[in-house]
Amino acid sequence: MERLLARRTLLALAGLGGLGGSALLAGCGSDAGGDGATTINFWSYYEAAARGATFADLAKQYETDNPGVTINLNLAPQNFNTVLRTAMLSDDRPEFLGLTQYNMRDFANAGLLTDVVSVLDDAGISSDIYPAAVEAGKINGTLYGIADALRFGMWFYNPKALDAAGGTQPTTYDELAATAEKLRAQKKYPILFGLKDLSSASNSFQVFVPAFIGLTATLAAAEAKDYTGQAFVDALTMYRTMVDDGILDASDTGMAASDAQALLASGDAAMYPSASYSIGTLVDLNPDFKAFDEPVKLTPNPVATYWGGAGQMYCVTAGTKAEAAARKLLTWWVKPEQLGVQVEKSGLVSSLKSANQKIPANSLAAFAAGNLDKVDPEGLFYNNYVPSSHAEAWGRAIQEVVSKAKTAEQAIETTIQPAVAK
Amino acid sequence: MSRRRWVSTVFLAPALLIYTLLHIAPFLGTIALSLFQYNGLTKPAPVGLANYTSMLASDAFWQALANNLVWFFGEVVVATLVGLGLALLINARPRLATLFRTTLFIPYILSWAVAGMLWSRILNPAPTYGMLNAFLHAVGLESWAMNWLGDARTALPSVILAAIWKGFGFSMIIFLAGLQGIPAELVEAARIDGAGSTKVLWHVTLPLLRPITSIVIVLGLIGTFKVFDPVWVMTQGGPGNASSLLAILVFREGMNNFQLGYSAALSVALFVCTAVVMALYWRFLGRSRVVEDD
Amino acid sequence: MTETATHRRAARTRRLTGTIIIAAVLGIVSLATVLPLVWMVFTSLKSPAEYLGNSWGLPLNPQWSSYVTLFTDKNFGRYFLNSLLVTVPSVAAILLLAAMASYGLVVSGVRSRGRILMYFVLGQMVPVTAIIAPLYVMLRSMGLINNYLGLILTNIAGAMSLAVFLTYGFFRAIPREIADAAAIDGAGHWQTFWRIYVPLGAPGLATVAIFESLAIWNEILVVILIMQRNDLQTINVAVFQAVGEYGTDVPALFAGLTVAALPVIITYLIFTRQFVAGLTAGATKG
């Protein structure tokens, strides 16, 4: 038997050699950096459609100013979390990253990211950057990421659609329900989130958490792996109530985010509670979008009235060959000249005060920038602080509640608790 | 004799090696992995049978299993029957039917990426976008317009509908081959005896098709547990878990939630289901075909 | 005599009625089957604005702009190339290895043949979904993620079970006398394999080739697992994964779907008989 095996191994090697043709292609997969040249792989969760052109221009500019450096952009491949984790664990890990806070936390705790606090001084932004943007990147006192933007929660609306229903901005739940009724009479959807996409579903929860729960309670629940508290039940029940009152539509669970945004742009849907990160996309679809002066108070006594958080965290991977080059890129990338480009092109509210001076007055971004200090810690984005599996489970529970498959209690018990208990 | 063994080994080696390394060995790995908790980043932690107990206690697991059964009856059986019906029709007028036969097989050869995305758009609930609801609105049947892929009650049936559209061609072709294998004399004899078309169908044709029908159904049953693409492309298992199948859970738990150990336990459950069906198949139908010697 | 004539005329009328009914039913079903695809093509020829106004009718103003942007902006040429770079080597290797293994089985002793065949067939019980976690970990540690070789090897491994079973079925039917005659003439095993078994088993190999080509071209799950970089994805996966980029532009999406579907449909229309034979061989032999 051993003799057979030994022969088999030998011949197996010969057999594999016969597959040499495909072996030649093996080199075509991974990046081959030339001699003396540095390649920086830059991965970001921003979508190519929204930010592709801007990033490409910036990358090209850096390459011109720094000959020998090549930047490979990889913007939001689908299943970004999965793909990113695979990459970070291979020898092929990207050197420069644009991450969510939670991914940053995961990787930092696994020792995959380096400390970037010196970059603040090197880039000269220590006094320019909002303290909140710095805090967002700190874990146990070490700075692992520099936020590119701060976000402010907003209720967007299509003016033409809302005018058809009387045009007043609702401020309480009852006013919202009344407005919804008028919109329904006009055959319009009052609010669409695009709940078929799991990420839209879990992101929509950011509107409800500050009203009912707050960040402290969320973090405690995540820690205890127990979301069965009444506040969570109430928040989830609110979705169902809104469906029953005609504010939300059960068919939302069959619409992708892009569908919802298209219907908003065309005026078939009126309102879109979200945050300033949506400004760029919405304005591209329809420049007439506006935002409510005040968010609608879903409950009489919300835990936090305003919500928001940090944007994308720029991080440098530890231990790669191009780490120094990536650090240098980061120092350049976070300067006001560069972050400011996004202010102009993407309707971003920058993490840098000087960049925000470029925001055109009377724009949605200006509105957000002017209100940043209203966000209190209880209103920070919940899914920047809990594991992505928890956020995904909430998204599923929301789908079940809105499609009326389950009540809030059932959804929490059967969809969320099993997922978070692992 | 030893030379023959040598030759045999040489020729078998490459196939055996790759097959073992990248198909069998990973499966053994799955079984092992199912006894650990592993998230891809930190070291795997041995947890004994905990993954299995939480799987059996999980609502999503039983729902997925039930959905797999619904899939079998809703898709496999229906597609088989549709294929049979069409094959009978085509076989009755073979020359006329060539064009139809070619056309009817087209959906089967498409990728689920194409078919799934297409049907997602057809079933989009907004009348501005979705072909089906737009059509219903246009002909005044608005009340029939539903949230096809977003309503927990209609999500799985809608995916099944798309799968029937895509799948019936397969059984149709198999039955056609089978029908062509029925000796004309038998049918003639029955007719001479005075049997009408219905009687011929019921007492001659269908009984002779029984072996093929069994094969198609059993293959379908085995395939049921492997179904992944249509659901993933169209609903990703949603809303919630309404349209999730076992394979969907395996992928989601492993690749989205990074619960690699739990995903492995689900894989083992999937394997057990497939193995049971295949074992029954061999026992009752296919044993003789598998290991025939000269 | 007149009675027979009447009988015959009645029989002819019955047959004609039957034909009309059958044609009508088949016609309707064919139309229903093809309708979604027709809608797909029509939509791809509309502008996004026109689609919003007229989502299910004929295009009033057909335009090809969506198709052009596929290749200029959306990198479809690359995706198509990736599909070719994966499918062709995979199928070539599958055929070679399955043929070799089948010859190995033909030549081997009766007892080990049964066992080895059983070992191969066992793999049918293990669907890809049952092995993705360790496969992923294994490929990652070998550096084969985001690598054509990784995808090709995985395709080969997954296909061996059925391919060997089918090919062996064909090889087994080749009369031993031919091989014996060649041996007497001094042919070695490799020559016997290459000059006798492969040519005579060619129909079987063609069957396997068609079956596997289609399966690999249309594959989604394994490609998502292994090719995680956008520029390495095959055309069918790219169409599915790139949805975010199409967003509200349904005509562009449908143009992509059409381009992804067209090669397969055209190949099928040209090689219909071989396609059908190849795809059903798996069933009837399994």
Side-chain angles (χ1 to χ4, degrees), chain A residues 46 51 148-149 151 276 339 342-343 346-350 356 359 365:
Chain A
Y46 283 153
R51 308 293 171 95
D148 69 341
R151 324 285 207 184
S276 49
L339 285 186
Q342 303 199 52
V343 167
S346 315
L348 207 73
V349 176
S350 178
N356 283 341
I359 298 180

Side-chain angles (χ1 to χ4, degrees), chain C residues 202-276:
Chain C
L205 290 174
T207 298
V208 173
I210 291 185
F211 186 86
E212 291 299 338
S213 299
L214 191 64
I216 292 175
W217 186 273
N218 285 347
E219 176 68 41
I220 298 178
L221 175 53
V222 172
V223 178
I224 293 183
L225 189 72
I226 298 178
M227 300 303 229
Q228 298 188 350
R229 266 172 42 187
N230 273 341
D231 58 336
L232 292 176
Q233 288 179 335
T234 56
I235 197 168
N236 279 305
V237 170
V239 148
F240 164 56
Q241 298 268 50
V243 180
E245 293 175 34
Y246 298 111
T248 51
D249 192 354
V250 177
L253 174 65
F254 278 20
L257 295 182
T258 309
V259 168
L262 218 46
V264 179
I265 294 183
I266 291 179
T267 317
Y268 162 69
L269 290 174
I270 299 177
F271 294 106
T272 311
R273 201 164 14 129
Q274 292 86 331
F275 248 83
V276 172

